[in-house]
Amino acid sequence: MLYSLTASSRDPRSMEIFYVGNTGDLRHSYSNDDGQKWVIDQHLWDGPINPISLTSIASTKFAQLAVFWTRPDGAIWGAWLGTSGWQGKQLLGPGSAHSSSRLTAIARSELRINIFYIGNDKKVHQIYWKSETPGTWNTPSEPISNLATSPGSLSAVSMNFNHQEVFFLGSDSKLKHAHWTEDAKVWKSEALPGASSACQASGSLEVVSRKDGTMEGWCKATSDTDLVHFYYYA
């Protein structure tokens, strides 16, 4: 069985790793002193947890930390570290996420969190949080793209506060992307220009932005021997 592991840092001295334990619960190990000492294998949340679905975010500026996952019934859950410790709840009900979908999340700033997933209609959807309504998660019913997916890998990135972009695999297993800007406020999607190689839906798909105006990503080719590399430089 495939298991996912995710890690985040909320300040210069902290590191936190999230993973599924042997009993199907959510566990974490963390260090708050530059990795010199670790608190190991602590129970964080009851299962069952879809083991491929974990994703986490952190804001180093505001010391925010959150982790998100799906349950086998397709419900989406989240937990976040507050002033009184870890809190969490169901964000979207059963039947929401496809059983093979991973989650990906971005924090464009301390004001916005977006979580992306593949629904049972095999299209990419989102839920999002806004600081103006901190107790509410917005759950649009419409997908962000009408392109059909191969349920599995997806990854999101933000080059700056005004931008967010999601990468996923189409029904042909080739790379697609959907992008949104603060100015346009509309999601647009297409096949990723120049991406002719097919990738594994069950493999990893990772994208990073090193600085404003750059995106760089990788996925494992269906040949099982090659790594597909793609990038954007403004």
Side-chain angles (χ1 to χ4, degrees), residues 53-72:
S53 67
L54 287 179
T55 188
S56 61
I57 60 163
S59 166
T60 55
K61 184 176 180 180
F62 290 88
Q64 295 170 325
L65 182 64
V67 59
F68 306 98
W69 66 93
T70 66
R71 287 182 178 262

Side-chain angles (χ1 to χ4, degrees), residues 104-119:
T104 184
I106 54 173
R108 291 187 286 134
S109 75
E110 75 283 2
L111 306 176
R112 300 286 187 273
I113 299 172
N114 289 72
I115 303 170
F116 303 94
Y117 65 97
I118 297 173

Side-chain angles (χ1 to χ4, degrees), residues 20-61:
V20 179
N22 290 332
T23 60
D25 61 333
L26 177 62
R27 292 180 173 268
H28 64 145
S29 298
Y30 58 91
S31 172
N32 292 319
D33 58 356
D34 301 319
Q36 298 300 311
K37 296 180 181 179
W38 283 82
V39 179
I40 300 295
D41 209 27
Q42 301 296 298
H43 171 80
L44 182 58
W45 212 265
D46 290 340
I49 292 169
N50 183 345
I52 67 170
S53 67
L54 287 179
T55 188
S56 61
I57 60 163
S59 166
T60 55
K61 184 176 180 180

